[in-house]
Each structure stands twice: as C-alpha cells, then as structure tokens.
Amino acid sequence: MRQPLVAGNWKMNGSRDSIKALMSGINAGLSSSDRAQVVVCPPFVYLDAVAGMIKGTKIAIGAQNVSHESAGAFTGEISVSMLQDFGARYVIVGHSERRALYGESDATVAHKFTATLLGGMVPILCVGELLEERESGKTEEVVARQLDAIVTHASIKGFEAAVVAYEPVWAIGTGKTATPEQAQEVHAFIRQRLAKHSSTIAEKVQILYGGSVNAGNAEQIFSMADVDGGLVGGASLKAADFLAICRAAN
Ligand code: PEP
C-alpha cells in the first residue's frame, strides 16, 4: 500500500510574516494520526524559518530546485548538501516552469535527479505534456521521453527512492484540471513504463498529480487507483485549502 503524499509548491511567493501565518494554520490543522505525508516547498531563503516551524510535526520540507554540482564556483546555485543542512528531505526536479523558463533539458533534469539521490534526498520528478502535445496525441510520447531520460541516467533503481509528479503543463496555474480519468490514464502509463524495467519499483513508486488541484477537486482525483496524492501550487498558499487537500489524501 503506497502512502499518500501531498506537497505544496510555494513557488516565488511569501514573506517572513505570511509564511509564519501559513505554517501556523497548517500546523494547527494536521493531526499526528493523518495517513498522508505532507511536504512544504518554500523558496530557498525561507527554508531555515520553516524548518524551525515544523519541529515536532510530521511535515517534511522540500526545495523547489537544486544544482547538480556539489560545490564551487557556481554563482547563485544551491547544492544538495546545503539543502540537507537546512533539514530539507525532498527536492522538486524538472518542474515545467524550470524546463520552460530556465531551459532545463531532460539531461539537466536527469543530472539534478541523480545528484539529489546521491546526496540522500528524495527527488520529486515532474513530467507532463504541453497543451499542443496533448492535442496532437503525443502525451505518452512526451512523458515516456522524460522518464526514459532519468532511467538512462540514474537506472530504474533511482525510482526506488523518488517520487514522480504528473503535471500536465496546460493544467498548471490555469484553473484547468485534468479529469480524474485523464490523470489516471497517464499515471497508469507511467507505472507501466517503469514496470518495463522493474515491476516491483513501479508498483511502489508514489505518483502525484499536479495541475490546479484545489479543495473542491482533490478528493475525486486522489480516488483514482494510480494517483497517490498531489503536487499543489496556488492552493498550497492558503492553509484552509491546503488542509482540505491533505484531508482528501488521507
Ligand atoms: C505546480 O506548480 O506544481 C502546480 C501544480 O501549480 P498549480 O497547483 O497552481 O496548478
């Protein structure tokens, strides 16, 4: 039985004050008996503050990005060991905003994925198609290419300690959500693709859905057989909405 997981991707939002309010709302609404693992992914500069706010709770911290380099002359970059130093356990890699706006290729994402694993952290690998790719029937081709790049670089064993997030790009921040059936179809495809290499790993890997998940649609999406929770952007910035989504995953 896979444990459900809900990760909140705060993107480039927040301030010291708003984060304090958000975290106290989230802390107040979660219970130690909840089944779902909850992860919050603040901007780098707030990692330390959030680490102080999750002490004694079951919430884990994730980063939104990482360098594949371990140290040195890489101005502006943050390494895996630095993230660990601040108590982070997860790293989002290959988010579509990083692929589209910062030119991250499948190869770059694979390097980051491997560096994250080698450093002992858990990558949350984002995959997903653009609207025009879906409309031209290329969803599986795109998702397969993104997954295969990781298998080639990290081997299927990399997925033993990783999470996959299916995030159709057309659904991110747009208010357009994939239907539960559309999500299930791609999640099942992801599992089948990984099962070509190892059915045990494919069966165990948590696959999250991301793309305009909110308090109203989470339960239906999470009820699908191969959906193990969500990667949540906009709705993770409001404690009440995020808590409702976490409850839906329990
Ligand atoms: C995301 O950024 O990963 C995401 C899914 O955003 P949103 O929930 O706002 O669509």
Side-chain angles (χ1 to χ4, degrees):
M1 190 76 170
R2 295 179 296 268
Q3 185 187 19
L5 192 158
V6 176
N9 175 13
W10 296 356
K11 311 196 188 192
M12 197 173 72
N13 291 296
S15 64
R16 280 184 216 253
D17 286 346
S18 72
I19 281 167
K20 210 183 283 177
L22 176 58
M23 284 310 299
S24 74
I26 294 173
N27 279 334
L30 291 177
S31 143
S32 56
S33 59
D34 290 343
R35 207 161 80 77
Q37 170 70 63
V38 174
V39 181
V40 292
C41 304
F44 289 137
V45 292
Y46 298 123
L47 283 174
D48 202 26
V50 175
M53 296 172 202
I54 60 157
K55 283 208 176 96
T57 76
K58 281 170 49 183
I59 302 172
I61 294 184
Q64 299 174 19
N65 186 26
V66 73
S67 170
H68 70 272
E69 300 287 355
S70 55
F74 303 103
T75 302
E77 293 292 293
I78 305 283
S79 71
V80 175
S81 63
M82 290 172 183
L83 296 176
Q84 278 186 319
D85 211 10
F86 281 82
R89 204 162 101 211
Y90 293 83
V91 184
I92 299 172
V93 296
H95 191 281
S96 64
E97 286 154 16
R98 299 232 38 105
R99 292 181 192 258
L101 303 174
Y102 300 98
E104 291 193 7
S105 64
D106 289 339
T108 311
V109 175
H111 278 106
K112 291 186 177 199
F113 182 97
T114 307
T116 302
L117 278 178
L118 289 176
M121 295 183 70
V122 180
I124 300 177
L125 169 72
C126 299
V127 297
E129 80 288 1
L130 304 170
L131 182 59
E132 55 268 34
E133 291 167 337
R134 172 161 283 265
E135 287 176 344
S136 56
K138 291 195 173 136
T139 298
E140 292 190 355
E141 187 187 315
V142 170
V143 170
R145 192 202 71 225
Q146 293 171 333
L147 288 174
D148 292 353
I150 304 295
V151 176
T152 303
H153 198 261
S155 104
I156 187 65
K157 283 196 159 291
F159 287 89
E160 266 178 339
V163 175
V164 178
Y166 168 56
E167 298 212 303
V169 181
W170 48 272
I172 297 180
T174 58
K176 282 187 210 157
T177 318
T179 63
E181 293 73 23
Q182 283 173 321
Q184 168 57 27
E185 200 178 356
V186 182
H187 282 229
F189 172 76
I190 291 170
R191 229 178 270 293
Q192 281 157 23
R193 191 82 188 176
L194 297 178
K196 285 180 189 290
H197 306 276
S198 165
S199 52
T200 314
I201 292 173
E203 193 44 43
K204 278 194 187 153
V205 70
Q206 292 157 304
I207 308 178
L208 314 181
Y209 169 79
S212 298
V213 173
N214 60 42
N217 61 26
E219 196 165 334
Q220 259 205 314
I221 298 173
F222 296 170
S223 71
M224 304 310 281
D226 287 294
V227 178
D228 304 313
L231 179 55
V232 185
S236 70
L237 295 169
K238 288 191 192 128
D241 291 0
F242 189 59
L243 286 168
I245 294 167
C246 295
R247 274 195 296 276
N250 284 323

